[in-house]
Amino acid sequence: LGEFHLYDSANADGAVAAKLIKLARERGLAVLAHCDEVAIDKLMAHAPGTKLIWAHSGIGGTPVAHVREPMRRHPSLRGELSYRPGLTESGTLAAEWRDTFNALPERFLIGSDTWINQRWQHYEALMDEYRAWLGSLPAPIARRMGWGNGAALFNVPS
């Protein structure tokens, strides 16, 4: 359906956000939300089961525990990982993220966040970074996160 930003989680209770998330569920469409974990719960309360993609799996480096909890509560929630602070440490996948991906391999997908032209300058480097840490995961998990989860979300045959 598209992408939207909620700079204040209270806005997730607004009429527009509720209508958008209900429309996505009714039509079986995915929607990507830039928001915090409080807004995730509010949005999903409007329309449980919505295919909601959480941009960057949080805002500004949301702690991993605060990412895992909404994932536990909302089975249809997916976490997108572009420009995610704390994902890697010294170029390798952070241990807490490795544990999360091993526990929830079907719930995360990579993205590019190319919402402005300048981001295209960094696209190749971002994909190289993904390849590096995906390569450190078991192959089936890396394939899911690198392609399979996104393909399944959008009903693309793998």
Side-chain angles (χ1 to χ4, degrees), residues 17-40:
K19 186 174 181 177
L20 176 74
I21 204 80
K22 288 175 184 177
L23 178 66
R25 186 187 63 191
E26 288 167 9
R27 305 243 174 121
L29 300 172
V31 62
L32 185 136
H34 285 256
C35 62
D36 64 15
E37 64 270 21
V38 173
I40 291 292

Side-chain angles (χ1 to χ4, degrees), residues 8-157:
D8 182 339
S9 57
N11 292 330
D13 285 327
V16 172
K19 186 174 181 177
L20 176 74
I21 204 80
K22 288 175 184 177
L23 178 66
R25 186 187 63 191
E26 288 167 9
R27 305 243 174 121
L29 300 172
V31 62
L32 185 136
H34 285 256
C35 62
D36 64 15
E37 64 270 21
V38 173
I40 291 292
D41 286 333
K42 290 174 179 279
L43 291 168
M44 294 303 267
H46 295 302
T50 300
K51 295 179 188 179
L52 184 61
I53 304 168
W54 192 7
H56 316 296
S57 295
I59 294 178
T62 301
V64 178
H66 292 241
V67 173
R68 287 180 75 135
E69 282 306 307
M71 292 285 178
R72 183 186 58 75
R73 288 190 297 274
H74 308 292
S76 62
L77 178 63
R78 301 294 180 265
E80 184 273 331
L81 298 166
S82 67
Y83 298 98
R84 178 63 174 86
L87 191 59
T88 60
E89 296 172 346
S90 303
T92 61
L93 187 59
E96 59 190 350
W97 280 105
R98 176 183 308 285
D99 293 345
T100 298
F101 296 155
N102 282 319
L104 301 166
E106 72 287 355
R107 304 297 291 284
F108 293 92
L109 48 138
I110 63 169
S112 58
D113 199 33
T114 51
W115 65 285
I116 55 173
N117 289 340
Q118 291 84 349
R119 285 280 173 94
W120 285 101
Q121 298 174 53
H122 308 286
Y123 184 84
E124 188 173 340
L126 180 63
M127 293 303 130
D128 286 343
E129 183 180 315
Y130 285 149
R131 287 182 193 102
W133 63 256
L134 282 169
S136 72
L137 292 169
I141 293 174
R143 278 192 297 276
R144 286 190 83 145
M145 291 177 60
W147 167 257
N149 292 341
L153 186 64
F154 295 103
N155 301 315
V156 173

